[in-house]
Every structure is written in C-alpha cells, then in structure tokens.
Amino acid sequence: MATPRSKAGTKGVPRRDRQQQILEAATREFGTRGYTAASLAAIAAQVGVTKTLLHQYFGTKEALYTACLAPVGERILDAVTTAMGSGGTTGETPLRVLNGIFTALEGQREAWFVLYDTTLPAGGEAAARAAGYRGAIDRLAADGTADLLRRSGSADPLDADALAYVWRDVVATLVRWWTKHPEQSPEAMTQRCARLFAAAAALTAAPGTVTGSG
Amino acid sequence: MATPRSKAGTKGVPRRDRQQQILEAATREFGTRGYTAASLAAIAAQVGVTKTLLHQYFGTKEALYTACLAPVGERILDAVTTAMGSGGTTGETPLRVLNGIFTALEGQREAWFVLYDTTLPAGGEAAARAAGYRGAIDRLAADGTADLLRRSGSADPLDADALAYVWRDVVATLVRWWTKHPEQSPEAMTQRCARLFAAAAALTAAPGTVTGSG
DNA sequence: AAGCGAACTTACCAAGGGGTAAATTACTTA
DNA sequence: TAAGTAATTTACCCCTTGGTAAGTTCGCTT
C-alpha cells in the first residue's frame, strides 16, 4: 500500500449516518451562530468532512437549514400541543409548556434557536417554513396569553400582542440560560422556573403599582 | 464649468456633521442587523457617502462600532442609575427603570441592540467595552432581582442569575416590540408594561402551582 | 491666480463565503 | 481481476466584505 496521494475516497461511513452527523452539527452551528453567521465550512469541519459533501447531500445552505428545521419544528410543536391540551389548572399551563419544551430540547438545546432564527434571508423558503412552525406555536400560546389578559381586565389587542411577544421571548431566554448551564436537567429547569414565577409574583404584589390606563 | 469627470471633492459638509450622520446611520444598522451582519457599504450608502470615508473618519469596523457604543452605553447607564436611585416603593422600581430606558431610547430605539449585540467578535475590544457597560447595568439590576428572590424565599444563587438574565431579556424584548410599533410613545409603553405586569400577576395568583424544590 | 488643506472618491487587494465540475479512493460483485 | 458504484476530496469560480493607497474636487487664503 503506497502512500495515498489524495485523502479522497470513502471513509466507511454510510450516507445515512453521515447525513445524521451533518444535521446535528448544522443544528448546533445554526442554533448558536444564527443562519447568516453560520459557515458551511465550519459545519463540515466539525463533522470532519468537506464543504462539498454538504452540498452533495443537502444542496444549498438554505436547504440544509430547512433539513435541520423540520424535526425541531415538529418536536417543539408536539410538545407545546400536548402540554396545552392536557387538562389541569390554567395556572399550571405555562409551567407544563416549559417542561414540555425543556424535555423536547434535551440533548440538543440550541435547536430552539434554529426555529427562532432572526437572521434568515427574508422572502426565502427557509424563512417561510420557519414562520409556519412559529405561527402554529404562537397561535397556541396566544390562547393562553389572551385568557390571562381577559382575566386581568385589559381588552387592548396591542396588549395581547405584546404579552404573547414577551412570553415567547421569555421562553427563548430561559432556553438560552439553560444552554449556558449544561448540567441542569429539564426537571430542574422547570422547578427553577416555578420559583422564578413565584418571585415575579412577589413583585406585583407590592403596593403602589402605576397602573394608569392611557 | 465642464462636466465633472469625478464625483470626488468636498460636498460642503463639515467633518463633525458628517461624523454625526455616520454615527446615527451606523447605530441604526448595527442595532437592526447586528455587528456581524452589518455592512459598512450599507451604512455609507445611507449617508450618501463612500465606504472609504467611514474608514478615514473612524478607522476599522470595530472602531466605528465602539464609537456608536459609547453614547448609548452612557445614556442607558445613566437612565437606569437615576431610576433605581430615586426612592419610592420597591414595587415601582421596575416600571421606573423601564420608563427611564424608554425615554432615553426615544428617537433611536435600535440603539439598545448595539449595547446588547450578541454577534460581536469574541475577544475583541468592542466586545470588552460593551461587556463593561452591560456589567455596570447588570450589577444595578442584580440588586433588584436579588431583593425579589430574598422576599420570595429562594436563596439559590443560580436562581438569582437566571432571574437577572430573564429580566434583562424581558427589557430587550419590550424594546424590540417597541421598535415594531413606532407610533407608541415612551409613556404609553410604560403604562402598557404596567398592565402586562398586572396580567402576569393574575397568572401566579392561580392555585396549584408546582413549586417543588429539587 | 497660485497654492493649500479639507472633503471625498476611484481603483485596487486579500480573505472568506456559497457553490459546482471533475477527479480520486475504496468497497463490492461478477 | 476487472468493472461498477458509493463516498469523498481537489481545484476551481464568483461575489461580497473589510481595508488601503492614491488621486480628485472644492473652497479659502495670500
């Protein structure tokens, strides 16, 4: 066996496995850096492979992103749907949703940010698909937040929009905090959230709130 | 006067004014697209000038960013400091802080995201300076959140970290929502936040919360 | 009018990104 | 052992981006 002049040729990794490896690395890269800043070369390097292989297996960068998006979207959507579907006190719902999300995300927490990537090329198909998943999830969440506002006496539609917006980003923030504390289990996160909610309640319980109404 | 063959030459705009124009455009661009995705050419085009002029007036991209950062950092830091300094019920403090931030940001709301840009090149000087401002602000906020947790009975330092983290991102989210609703005045925003707080309180007031303690 | 400095551009370079065509290597099968 | 096919790389192309060097135009002064 003479010294191979080129490193080309099979490495004994079947296509399916390689695709899976690539998808995982890509999800990590897209999730941490965002679509625009993510580099195909970096993803390829993580897998120990060349940029070209990504193109041959998945096509364009946007197609690769889409391939990462689908499973994440399904998983999160499922988690939220079942969490909101199962009966129980309304007060428990947000924590159930969080718990569902944490559980669905365990093992690949950055995946969340693939779904909520803000750097997608506007007008592209990737953005459209991501918006599709987010829309479905947001519709579920909107029910909950609208319910909250009704009970608290506000009928302003902008209030509803803002509250849904904030809630969604709170979830994102909690997930981001979680990615920075890898040792935390999903259950531990859920319980921590419960404590944080309680602390927030202590705030609004204080007297003299400035609840002017325009 | 023959047709000028080149568009070079002075346009009658003194250096100081031009620098100001550039800083405003750059702040907008950095704030909306993020440092990495922001393009010097795009900034220059907004001002009606060439990329090269930016370099001559501010140096590298990172230096231009730093020039944008300083005034924003000072303003936000000032706003938060005075909002937390002035006495009053503790329950009012978060709203006072928000009001201070909204007021400080009016006229250039995207500026917030210059301060909290996540795409800065790690290890660079820009990142260091931004971290400096954020650190000062976060220390102020940490006092408030720690106080909250103490009152709610949790002594876990990670809880404190998470709460401060969430609070900061809630502010960011509210600012982002605000940028999408340009017609809203700072005062209107503050009052809306008050209503949202009340709605959130309605949540935690519900029975059967899962307050397990690991 | 000649000169000078401030304001500004044209023309360029190197690096990095996405993307493609054409090899190259290795495993399997006849 | 020769052929075929799957897996993978090499060597490109083109575009954008940050960055630099060398002009070019204008207005003011002497």
Side-chain angles (χ1 to χ4, degrees), chain A residues 91-92 94 148 156 158-159 161-162 165-166 169 173-174 176-177 180-181 184 191-192 194-195 197 199 201 203-204 206-208 210 214, chain B residues 89 91-92 94 148 156 158-159 161-162 165-166 169 173 176-177 180-181 184 191-192 194-195 197 199 201 203-204 206 208 210 214:
Chain A
E92 280 179 356
L148 255 187
D156 188 338
L158 276 181
D159 278 7
D161 186 59
Y165 197 84
V166 169
D169 258 41
T173 304
L174 289 167
R176 184 171 284 121
W177 188 89
K180 298 190 179 180
H181 296 78
Q184 301 289 317
Q191 290 176 353
R192 188 180 307 282
R195 293 197 296 276
F197 281 12
L203 172 83
T204 40
V210 192
Chain B
T89 334
E92 280 178 358
L148 256 187
D156 188 337
L158 277 180
D159 277 8
D161 186 58
Y165 197 84
V166 169
D169 257 42
T173 303
R176 183 170 284 122
W177 187 89
K180 299 190 178 181
H181 296 79
Q184 301 290 318
Q191 290 175 352
R192 188 180 307 282
R195 292 196 297 276
F197 282 12
L203 172 84
T204 40
V210 193

Short mmCIF file of all heavy atoms in Angstrom, two decimals, chain A residues 91-92 94 148 156 158-159 161-162 165-166 169 173-174 176-177 180-181 184 191-192 194-195 197 199 201 203-204 206-208 210 214, chain B residues 89 91-92 94 148 156 158-159 161-162 165-166 169 173 176-177 180-181 184 191-192 194-195 197 199 201 203-204 206 208 210 214:
data_model
loop_
_atom_site.label_atom_id
_atom_site.label_comp_id
_atom_site.label_asym_id
_atom_site.label_seq_id
_atom_site.Cartn_x
_atom_site.Cartn_y
_atom_site.Cartn_z
N GLY A 91 -53.41 27.89 35.77
CA GLY A 91 -52.19 28.42 36.34
C GLY A 91 -50.99 27.53 36.13
O GLY A 91 -49.85 27.99 36.11
N GLU A 92 -51.26 26.26 35.92
CA GLU A 92 -50.16 25.31 35.72
C GLU A 92 -49.67 25.27 34.27
O GLU A 92 -48.57 24.84 34.01
CB GLU A 92 -50.59 23.91 36.12
CG GLU A 92 -50.56 23.66 37.62
CD GLU A 92 -51.03 22.25 37.95
OE1 GLU A 92 -51.45 21.55 37.01
OE2 GLU A 92 -50.99 21.89 39.12
N PRO A 94 -48.50 27.29 31.86
CA PRO A 94 -47.19 27.78 31.41
C PRO A 94 -46.05 26.87 31.85
O PRO A 94 -45.14 26.60 31.07
CB PRO A 94 -47.09 29.15 32.09
CG PRO A 94 -48.48 29.57 32.31
CD PRO A 94 -49.25 28.32 32.59
N LEU A 148 -55.23 35.21 29.89
CA LEU A 148 -54.64 35.94 31.01
C LEU A 148 -55.10 37.39 31.03
O LEU A 148 -55.55 37.91 32.06
CB LEU A 148 -53.12 35.93 30.89
CG LEU A 148 -52.34 35.00 31.81
CD1 LEU A 148 -50.86 35.28 31.65
CD2 LEU A 148 -52.77 35.19 33.24
N ASP A 156 -57.20 45.57 25.31
CA ASP A 156 -56.39 46.16 24.25
C ASP A 156 -55.71 45.06 23.42
O ASP A 156 -54.95 44.25 23.96
CB ASP A 156 -55.34 47.08 24.89
CG ASP A 156 -54.58 47.89 23.85
OD1 ASP A 156 -54.55 47.47 22.67
OD2 ASP A 156 -54.04 48.94 24.21
N LEU A 158 -53.34 45.36 21.35
CA LEU A 158 -51.89 45.55 21.35
C LEU A 158 -51.28 44.95 22.61
O LEU A 158 -50.17 44.43 22.59
CB LEU A 158 -51.54 47.04 21.25
CG LEU A 158 -51.52 47.60 19.84
CD1 LEU A 158 -51.14 49.08 19.87
CD2 LEU A 158 -50.55 46.84 18.96
N ASP A 159 -52.01 45.04 23.72
CA ASP A 159 -51.54 44.40 24.94
C ASP A 159 -51.39 42.91 24.72
O ASP A 159 -50.38 42.29 25.12
CB ASP A 159 -52.54 44.63 26.09
CG ASP A 159 -52.35 45.99 26.74
OD1 ASP A 159 -51.55 46.78 26.22
OD2 ASP A 159 -53.00 46.24 27.77
N ASP A 161 -50.89 41.36 21.90
CA ASP A 161 -49.74 41.14 21.02
C ASP A 161 -48.44 41.22 21.81
O ASP A 161 -47.57 40.35 21.69
CB ASP A 161 -49.75 42.17 19.90
CG ASP A 161 -48.66 41.89 18.87
OD1 ASP A 161 -48.68 40.79 18.30
OD2 ASP A 161 -47.80 42.76 18.67
N ALA A 162 -48.32 42.26 22.60
CA ALA A 162 -47.09 42.46 23.36
C ALA A 162 -46.87 41.32 24.35
O ALA A 162 -45.75 40.82 24.50
CB ALA A 162 -47.14 43.80 24.09
N TYR A 165 -45.75 38.26 22.64
CA TYR A 165 -44.37 38.52 22.20
C TYR A 165 -43.39 38.31 23.34
O TYR A 165 -42.36 37.65 23.20
CB TYR A 165 -44.30 39.95 21.68
CG TYR A 165 -43.11 40.27 20.82
CD1 TYR A 165 -43.11 39.99 19.46
CD2 TYR A 165 -41.99 40.88 21.36
CE1 TYR A 165 -42.02 40.29 18.67
CE2 TYR A 165 -40.90 41.20 20.58
CZ TYR A 165 -40.91 40.90 19.24
OH TYR A 165 -39.83 41.19 18.45
N VAL A 166 -43.72 38.89 24.48
CA VAL A 166 -42.83 38.80 25.64
C VAL A 166 -42.75 37.35 26.13
O VAL A 166 -41.66 36.85 26.42
CB VAL A 166 -43.30 39.72 26.78
CG1 VAL A 166 -42.55 39.40 28.06
CG2 VAL A 166 -43.11 41.17 26.39
N ASP A 169 -40.45 35.31 24.06
CA ASP A 169 -39.04 35.61 24.27
C ASP A 169 -38.57 35.20 25.65
O ASP A 169 -37.38 34.92 25.84
CB ASP A 169 -38.79 37.10 24.03
CG ASP A 169 -38.15 37.33 22.67
OD1 ASP A 169 -38.58 36.66 21.73
OD2 ASP A 169 -37.22 38.15 22.57
N THR A 173 -35.36 33.03 26.28
CA THR A 173 -34.33 33.43 27.23
C THR A 173 -34.02 32.32 28.22
O THR A 173 -32.86 32.06 28.54
CB THR A 173 -34.78 34.68 28.00
OG1 THR A 173 -35.09 35.70 27.07
CG2 THR A 173 -33.69 35.14 28.94
N LEU A 174 -35.06 31.65 28.68
CA LEU A 174 -34.84 30.55 29.62
C LEU A 174 -34.04 29.43 28.94
O LEU A 174 -33.13 28.85 29.54
CB LEU A 174 -36.18 30.03 30.12
CG LEU A 174 -36.90 30.98 31.08
CD1 LEU A 174 -38.34 30.57 31.30
CD2 LEU A 174 -36.15 31.06 32.41
N ARG A 176 -31.97 29.85 26.52
CA ARG A 176 -30.60 30.33 26.34
C ARG A 176 -29.81 30.22 27.65
O ARG A 176 -28.66 29.80 27.67
CB ARG A 176 -30.60 31.78 25.85
CG ARG A 176 -29.20 32.30 25.56
CD ARG A 176 -29.23 33.64 24.86
NE ARG A 176 -29.57 33.53 23.45
CZ ARG A 176 -30.61 34.11 22.88
NH1 ARG A 176 -31.41 34.87 23.60
NH2 ARG A 176 -30.84 33.96 21.60
N TRP A 177 -30.46 30.58 28.74
CA TRP A 177 -29.79 30.43 30.04
C TRP A 177 -29.44 28.97 30.27
O TRP A 177 -28.35 28.64 30.75
CB TRP A 177 -30.73 30.93 31.16
CG TRP A 177 -30.08 30.99 32.51
CD1 TRP A 177 -29.39 32.03 33.05
CD2 TRP A 177 -30.04 29.93 33.48
NE1 TRP A 177 -28.93 31.70 34.29
CE2 TRP A 177 -29.31 30.42 34.59
CE3 TRP A 177 -30.55 28.64 33.53
CZ2 TRP A 177 -29.08 29.65 35.73
CZ3 TRP A 177 -30.32 27.87 34.67
CH2 TRP A 177 -29.60 28.38 35.75
N LYS A 180 -26.37 27.69 28.76
CA LYS A 180 -25.15 28.11 29.45
C LYS A 180 -24.94 27.37 30.76
O LYS A 180 -23.95 27.60 31.46
CB LYS A 180 -25.21 29.62 29.71
CG LYS A 180 -25.28 30.43 28.42
CD LYS A 180 -25.10 31.90 28.68
CE LYS A 180 -25.16 32.65 27.34
NZ LYS A 180 -25.00 34.10 27.50
N HIS A 181 -25.88 26.53 31.11
CA HIS A 181 -25.74 25.71 32.32
C HIS A 181 -26.09 24.28 31.96
O HIS A 181 -27.15 23.76 32.34
CB HIS A 181 -26.66 26.24 33.42
CG HIS A 181 -26.30 27.62 33.88
ND1 HIS A 181 -26.63 28.75 33.17
CD2 HIS A 181 -25.59 28.06 34.94
CE1 HIS A 181 -26.17 29.82 33.79
NE2 HIS A 181 -25.53 29.43 34.87
N GLN A 184 -27.75 21.35 34.11
CA GLN A 184 -29.11 21.39 34.62
C GLN A 184 -30.04 20.44 33.85
O GLN A 184 -30.09 20.49 32.62
CB GLN A 184 -29.67 22.81 34.51
CG GLN A 184 -28.85 23.85 35.28
CD GLN A 184 -29.00 23.69 36.77
OE1 GLN A 184 -30.09 23.48 37.28
NE2 GLN A 184 -27.88 23.79 37.48
N GLN A 191 -38.53 23.34 37.68
CA GLN A 191 -38.73 23.76 39.07
C GLN A 191 -38.15 25.15 39.32
O GLN A 191 -38.72 25.95 40.05
CB GLN A 191 -38.09 22.73 40.00
CG GLN A 191 -38.88 21.42 39.99
CD GLN A 191 -38.23 20.35 40.83
OE1 GLN A 191 -37.11 20.53 41.33
NE2 GLN A 191 -38.92 19.23 40.99
N ARG A 192 -37.03 25.41 38.66
CA ARG A 192 -36.45 26.75 38.81
C ARG A 192 -37.42 27.80 38.26
O ARG A 192 -37.62 28.86 38.86
CB ARG A 192 -35.12 26.83 38.07
CG ARG A 192 -34.36 28.13 38.32
CD ARG A 192 -33.05 28.18 37.57
NE ARG A 192 -32.22 27.01 37.81
CZ ARG A 192 -31.50 26.83 38.91
NH1 ARG A 192 -31.52 27.73 39.85
NH2 ARG A 192 -30.78 25.74 39.04
N ALA A 194 -40.57 27.63 38.15
CA ALA A 194 -41.66 27.79 39.11
C ALA A 194 -41.26 28.78 40.20
O ALA A 194 -42.03 29.67 40.57
CB ALA A 194 -42.01 26.44 39.72
N ARG A 195 -40.04 28.65 40.69
CA ARG A 195 -39.56 29.58 41.73
C ARG A 195 -39.47 31.00 41.20
O ARG A 195 -39.81 31.97 41.87
CB ARG A 195 -38.21 29.12 42.26
CG ARG A 195 -38.27 27.80 43.03
CD ARG A 195 -37.02 27.58 43.87
NE ARG A 195 -35.80 27.44 43.07
CZ ARG A 195 -35.41 26.30 42.51
NH1 ARG A 195 -36.14 25.20 42.65
NH2 ARG A 195 -34.30 26.24 41.82
N PHE A 197 -41.24 32.31 38.82
CA PHE A 197 -42.60 32.83 38.70
C PHE A 197 -43.07 33.35 40.05
O PHE A 197 -43.66 34.43 40.15
CB PHE A 197 -43.55 31.73 38.22
CG PHE A 197 -43.47 31.48 36.75
CD1 PHE A 197 -42.43 32.02 35.98
CD2 PHE A 197 -44.42 30.70 36.11
CE1 PHE A 197 -42.35 31.79 34.63
CE2 PHE A 197 -44.34 30.47 34.74
CZ PHE A 197 -43.31 31.01 34.00
N ALA A 199 -41.25 34.44 42.45
CA ALA A 199 -40.54 35.68 42.77
C ALA A 199 -41.17 36.86 42.02
O ALA A 199 -41.35 37.94 42.58
CB ALA A 199 -39.06 35.55 42.40
N ALA A 201 -44.15 37.12 41.16
CA ALA A 201 -45.43 37.41 41.79
C ALA A 201 -45.22 38.33 42.99
O ALA A 201 -46.03 39.24 43.24
CB ALA A 201 -46.12 36.12 42.23
N LEU A 203 -43.22 40.62 43.22
CA LEU A 203 -43.09 41.98 42.71
C LEU A 203 -44.43 42.68 42.59
O LEU A 203 -44.67 43.73 43.16
CB LEU A 203 -42.42 41.95 41.34
CG LEU A 203 -42.38 43.28 40.61
CD1 LEU A 203 -41.21 44.09 41.08
CD2 LEU A 203 -42.32 43.07 39.11
N THR A 204 -45.31 42.05 41.82
CA THR A 204 -46.59 42.68 41.53
C THR A 204 -47.49 42.74 42.75
O THR A 204 -48.46 43.50 42.77
CB THR A 204 -47.31 41.93 40.40
OG1 THR A 204 -47.12 40.54 40.60
CG2 THR A 204 -46.73 42.33 39.07
N ALA A 206 -46.48 43.91 45.47
CA ALA A 206 -46.10 45.13 46.19
C ALA A 206 -47.12 46.24 45.91
O ALA A 206 -47.75 46.27 44.86
CB ALA A 206 -44.71 45.58 45.76
N PRO A 207 -47.26 47.16 46.85
CA PRO A 207 -48.27 48.21 46.72
C PRO A 207 -47.80 49.34 45.79
O PRO A 207 -46.63 49.43 45.44
CB PRO A 207 -48.39 48.74 48.15
CG PRO A 207 -47.03 48.53 48.73
CD PRO A 207 -46.47 47.31 48.08
N GLY A 208 -48.75 50.15 45.39
CA GLY A 208 -48.41 51.37 44.67
C GLY A 208 -48.01 51.17 43.23
O GLY A 208 -47.21 51.92 42.69
N VAL A 210 -48.11 51.45 39.23
CA VAL A 210 -48.53 52.57 38.40
C VAL A 210 -49.43 52.10 37.27
O VAL A 210 -49.07 52.12 36.12
CB VAL A 210 -47.29 53.26 37.79
CG1 VAL A 210 -47.71 54.60 37.19
CG2 VAL A 210 -46.24 53.47 38.85
N GLY A 214 -53.78 55.12 30.14
CA GLY A 214 -53.80 55.99 28.95
C GLY A 214 -54.58 57.22 29.24
O GLY A 214 -55.45 57.60 28.53
N THR B 89 -41.52 53.13 46.43
CA THR B 89 -41.83 51.74 46.72
C THR B 89 -40.99 50.83 45.83
O THR B 89 -40.75 51.14 44.67
CB THR B 89 -43.31 51.45 46.44
OG1 THR B 89 -44.05 52.67 46.57
CG2 THR B 89 -43.84 50.42 47.38
N GLY B 91 -41.85 48.08 44.63
CA GLY B 91 -42.69 47.55 43.58
C GLY B 91 -42.72 48.44 42.36
O GLY B 91 -42.98 47.98 41.25
N GLU B 92 -42.43 49.71 42.55
CA GLU B 92 -42.46 50.64 41.42
C GLU B 92 -41.16 50.64 40.62
O GLU B 92 -41.15 51.06 39.47
CB GLU B 92 -42.74 52.06 41.91
CG GLU B 92 -44.19 52.34 42.20
CD GLU B 92 -44.37 53.76 42.73
OE1 GLU B 92 -43.34 54.44 42.90
OE2 GLU B 92 -45.50 54.17 42.97
N PRO B 94 -39.13 48.55 38.96
CA PRO B 94 -39.00 48.04 37.59
C PRO B 94 -39.67 48.94 36.56
O PRO B 94 -39.10 49.20 35.50
CB PRO B 94 -39.71 46.68 37.65
CG PRO B 94 -39.63 46.27 39.07
CD PRO B 94 -39.69 47.54 39.87
N LEU B 148 -35.84 40.70 45.25
CA LEU B 148 -37.07 39.99 44.93
C LEU B 148 -37.02 38.54 45.41
O LEU B 148 -37.93 38.05 46.09
CB LEU B 148 -37.29 39.98 43.43
CG LEU B 148 -38.34 40.92 42.85
CD1 LEU B 148 -38.53 40.64 41.39
CD2 LEU B 148 -39.63 40.77 43.61
N ASP B 156 -31.05 30.31 46.32
CA ASP B 156 -30.21 29.69 45.30
C ASP B 156 -29.56 30.76 44.43
O ASP B 156 -30.25 31.56 43.81
CB ASP B 156 -31.10 28.78 44.44
CG ASP B 156 -30.28 27.93 43.47
OD1 ASP B 156 -29.14 28.34 43.16
OD2 ASP B 156 -30.78 26.89 43.05
N LEU B 158 -28.08 30.40 41.65
CA LEU B 158 -28.42 30.20 40.23
C LEU B 158 -29.78 30.80 39.92
O LEU B 158 -30.00 31.33 38.82
CB LEU B 158 -28.41 28.71 39.88
CG LEU B 158 -27.05 28.11 39.56
CD1 LEU B 158 -27.17 26.63 39.22
CD2 LEU B 158 -26.39 28.86 38.42
N ASP B 159 -30.68 30.74 40.88
CA ASP B 159 -31.97 31.39 40.70
C ASP B 159 -31.76 32.88 40.46
O ASP B 159 -32.37 33.48 39.57
CB ASP B 159 -32.85 31.20 41.94
CG ASP B 159 -33.58 29.86 41.91
OD1 ASP B 159 -33.26 29.05 41.02
OD2 ASP B 159 -34.44 29.63 42.77
N ASP B 161 -29.12 34.37 39.31
CA ASP B 161 -28.52 34.57 37.99
C ASP B 161 -29.58 34.47 36.90
O ASP B 161 -29.67 35.33 36.02
CB ASP B 161 -27.44 33.52 37.76
CG ASP B 161 -26.68 33.76 36.46
OD1 ASP B 161 -26.10 34.85 36.33
OD2 ASP B 161 -26.70 32.88 35.58
N ALA B 162 -30.40 33.43 36.98
CA ALA B 162 -31.43 33.23 35.96
C ALA B 162 -32.43 34.38 35.95
O ALA B 162 -32.82 34.87 34.88
CB ALA B 162 -32.14 31.90 36.19
N TYR B 165 -30.97 37.37 34.41
CA TYR B 165 -30.85 37.10 32.98
C TYR B 165 -32.19 37.30 32.27
O TYR B 165 -32.27 37.97 31.23
CB TYR B 165 -30.38 35.65 32.80
CG TYR B 165 -29.82 35.31 31.45
CD1 TYR B 165 -28.50 35.57 31.14
CD2 TYR B 165 -30.62 34.70 30.50
CE1 TYR B 165 -27.98 35.24 29.91
CE2 TYR B 165 -30.11 34.36 29.25
CZ TYR B 165 -28.79 34.63 28.96
OH TYR B 165 -28.29 34.31 27.73
N VAL B 166 -33.23 36.75 32.85
CA VAL B 166 -34.55 36.87 32.25
C VAL B 166 -35.03 38.31 32.24
O VAL B 166 -35.55 38.81 31.25
CB VAL B 166 -35.57 35.96 32.97
CG1 VAL B 166 -36.98 36.29 32.52
CG2 VAL B 166 -35.25 34.50 32.71
N ASP B 169 -33.50 40.27 29.50
CA ASP B 169 -34.02 39.95 28.18
C ASP B 169 -35.47 40.39 28.01
O ASP B 169 -35.91 40.66 26.89
CB ASP B 169 -33.87 38.46 27.90
CG ASP B 169 -32.70 38.19 26.98
OD1 ASP B 169 -31.67 38.84 27.19
OD2 ASP B 169 -32.83 37.37 26.05
N THR B 173 -36.75 42.52 25.00
CA THR B 173 -37.92 42.13 24.22
C THR B 173 -38.92 43.26 24.11
O THR B 173 -39.49 43.52 23.05
CB THR B 173 -38.59 40.90 24.85
OG1 THR B 173 -37.64 39.85 24.94
CG2 THR B 173 -39.78 40.46 24.00
N ARG B 176 -37.69 45.67 21.69
CA ARG B 176 -37.84 45.16 20.33
C ARG B 176 -39.29 45.29 19.86
O ARG B 176 -39.55 45.69 18.73
CB ARG B 176 -37.38 43.72 20.24
CG ARG B 176 -37.45 43.16 18.82
CD ARG B 176 -36.77 41.83 18.69
NE ARG B 176 -35.31 41.96 18.69
CZ ARG B 176 -34.51 41.39 19.56
NH1 ARG B 176 -35.02 40.64 20.51
NH2 ARG B 176 -33.22 41.56 19.47
N TRP B 177 -40.22 44.97 20.73
CA TRP B 177 -41.63 45.13 20.38
C TRP B 177 -41.90 46.60 20.06
O TRP B 177 -42.61 46.92 19.11
CB TRP B 177 -42.50 44.66 21.55
CG TRP B 177 -43.97 44.64 21.22
CD1 TRP B 177 -44.66 43.59 20.69
CD2 TRP B 177 -44.91 45.70 21.40
NE1 TRP B 177 -45.98 43.93 20.52
CE2 TRP B 177 -46.17 45.22 20.95
CE3 TRP B 177 -44.84 47.00 21.90
CZ2 TRP B 177 -47.33 46.00 20.98
CZ3 TRP B 177 -45.98 47.77 21.93
CH2 TRP B 177 -47.21 47.29 21.47
N LYS B 180 -41.11 47.80 16.70
CA LYS B 180 -42.07 47.37 15.68
C LYS B 180 -43.37 48.15 15.76
O LYS B 180 -44.28 47.93 14.96
CB LYS B 180 -42.33 45.87 15.82
CG LYS B 180 -41.08 45.05 15.64
CD LYS B 180 -41.39 43.57 15.53
CE LYS B 180 -40.08 42.80 15.30
NZ LYS B 180 -40.31 41.36 15.17
N HIS B 181 -43.49 49.00 16.75
CA HIS B 181 -44.68 49.84 16.88
C HIS B 181 -44.23 51.29 17.12
O HIS B 181 -44.35 51.81 18.23
CB HIS B 181 -45.56 49.35 18.04
CG HIS B 181 -46.11 47.98 17.79
ND1 HIS B 181 -45.38 46.84 17.99
CD2 HIS B 181 -47.32 47.56 17.34
CE1 HIS B 181 -46.12 45.77 17.68
NE2 HIS B 181 -47.29 46.19 17.29
N GLN B 184 -45.88 54.28 19.19
CA GLN B 184 -46.07 54.25 20.64
C GLN B 184 -45.09 55.19 21.34
O GLN B 184 -43.88 55.12 21.12
CB GLN B 184 -45.87 52.82 21.15
CG GLN B 184 -46.82 51.81 20.53
CD GLN B 184 -48.25 51.99 21.00
OE1 GLN B 184 -48.49 52.22 22.18
NE2 GLN B 184 -49.20 51.92 20.08
N GLN B 191 -46.98 52.48 30.51
CA GLN B 191 -48.29 52.08 31.02
C GLN B 191 -48.68 50.70 30.53
O GLN B 191 -49.28 49.91 31.26
CB GLN B 191 -49.33 53.13 30.61
CG GLN B 191 -49.12 54.44 31.36
CD GLN B 191 -50.06 55.54 30.90
OE1 GLN B 191 -50.77 55.37 29.91
NE2 GLN B 191 -50.03 56.66 31.61
N ARG B 192 -48.32 50.41 29.29
CA ARG B 192 -48.61 49.07 28.79
C ARG B 192 -47.89 48.02 29.63
O ARG B 192 -48.45 46.98 29.98
CB ARG B 192 -48.18 48.96 27.33
CG ARG B 192 -48.62 47.66 26.67
CD ARG B 192 -48.18 47.56 25.22
NE ARG B 192 -48.59 48.71 24.45
CZ ARG B 192 -49.81 48.92 23.98
NH1 ARG B 192 -50.76 48.05 24.25
NH2 ARG B 192 -50.08 49.99 23.28
N ALA B 194 -47.06 48.23 32.67
CA ALA B 194 -47.76 48.11 33.95
C ALA B 194 -48.92 47.14 33.82
O ALA B 194 -49.13 46.27 34.68
CB ALA B 194 -48.25 49.48 34.40
N ARG B 195 -49.67 47.26 32.74
CA ARG B 195 -50.80 46.35 32.54
C ARG B 195 -50.33 44.90 32.34
O ARG B 195 -50.94 43.97 32.85
CB ARG B 195 -51.62 46.81 31.33
CG ARG B 195 -52.34 48.13 31.55
CD ARG B 195 -53.43 48.36 30.51
NE ARG B 195 -52.92 48.46 29.14
CZ ARG B 195 -52.44 49.58 28.61
NH1 ARG B 195 -52.40 50.70 29.32
NH2 ARG B 195 -52.03 49.60 27.37
N PHE B 197 -47.63 43.57 33.57
CA PHE B 197 -47.23 43.07 34.88
C PHE B 197 -48.44 42.58 35.64
O PHE B 197 -48.43 41.52 36.27
CB PHE B 197 -46.52 44.17 35.68
CG PHE B 197 -45.10 44.40 35.26
CD1 PHE B 197 -44.59 43.84 34.08
CD2 PHE B 197 -44.25 45.18 36.03
CE1 PHE B 197 -43.29 44.05 33.70
CE2 PHE B 197 -42.94 45.39 35.65
CZ PHE B 197 -42.45 44.83 34.48
N ALA B 199 -51.21 41.52 34.43
CA ALA B 199 -51.69 40.28 33.82
C ALA B 199 -50.85 39.10 34.29
O ALA B 199 -51.37 38.04 34.62
CB ALA B 199 -51.66 40.39 32.30
N ALA B 201 -49.32 38.86 37.01
CA ALA B 201 -49.67 38.60 38.40
C ALA B 201 -50.90 37.70 38.48
O ALA B 201 -50.98 36.82 39.34
CB ALA B 201 -49.93 39.91 39.13
N LEU B 203 -51.59 35.38 36.64
CA LEU B 203 -51.15 34.01 36.42
C LEU B 203 -50.73 33.34 37.72
O LEU B 203 -51.24 32.30 38.09
CB LEU B 203 -49.95 34.02 35.46
CG LEU B 203 -49.25 32.67 35.28
CD1 LEU B 203 -49.98 31.86 34.24
CD2 LEU B 203 -47.81 32.88 34.88
N THR B 204 -49.79 33.95 38.39
CA THR B 204 -49.23 33.34 39.60
C THR B 204 -50.22 33.32 40.74
O THR B 204 -50.01 32.61 41.72
CB THR B 204 -47.95 34.08 40.03
OG1 THR B 204 -48.18 35.48 39.85
CG2 THR B 204 -46.78 33.66 39.17
N ALA B 206 -53.09 32.12 40.41
CA ALA B 206 -53.88 30.90 40.24
C ALA B 206 -53.39 29.82 41.19
O ALA B 206 -52.22 29.80 41.58
CB ALA B 206 -53.80 30.42 38.80
N GLY B 208 -52.55 25.86 42.74
CA GLY B 208 -51.94 24.63 42.27
C GLY B 208 -50.61 24.80 41.55
O GLY B 208 -50.30 24.04 40.65
N VAL B 210 -46.67 24.45 40.78
CA VAL B 210 -45.76 23.31 41.03
C VAL B 210 -44.46 23.79 41.64
O VAL B 210 -43.41 23.77 41.02
CB VAL B 210 -45.46 22.59 39.70
CG1 VAL B 210 -44.80 21.24 39.97
CG2 VAL B 210 -46.74 22.40 38.91
N GLY B 214 -36.55 20.68 44.22
CA GLY B 214 -35.43 19.79 43.89
C GLY B 214 -35.03 18.94 45.04
O GLY B 214 -33.89 18.86 45.38
#
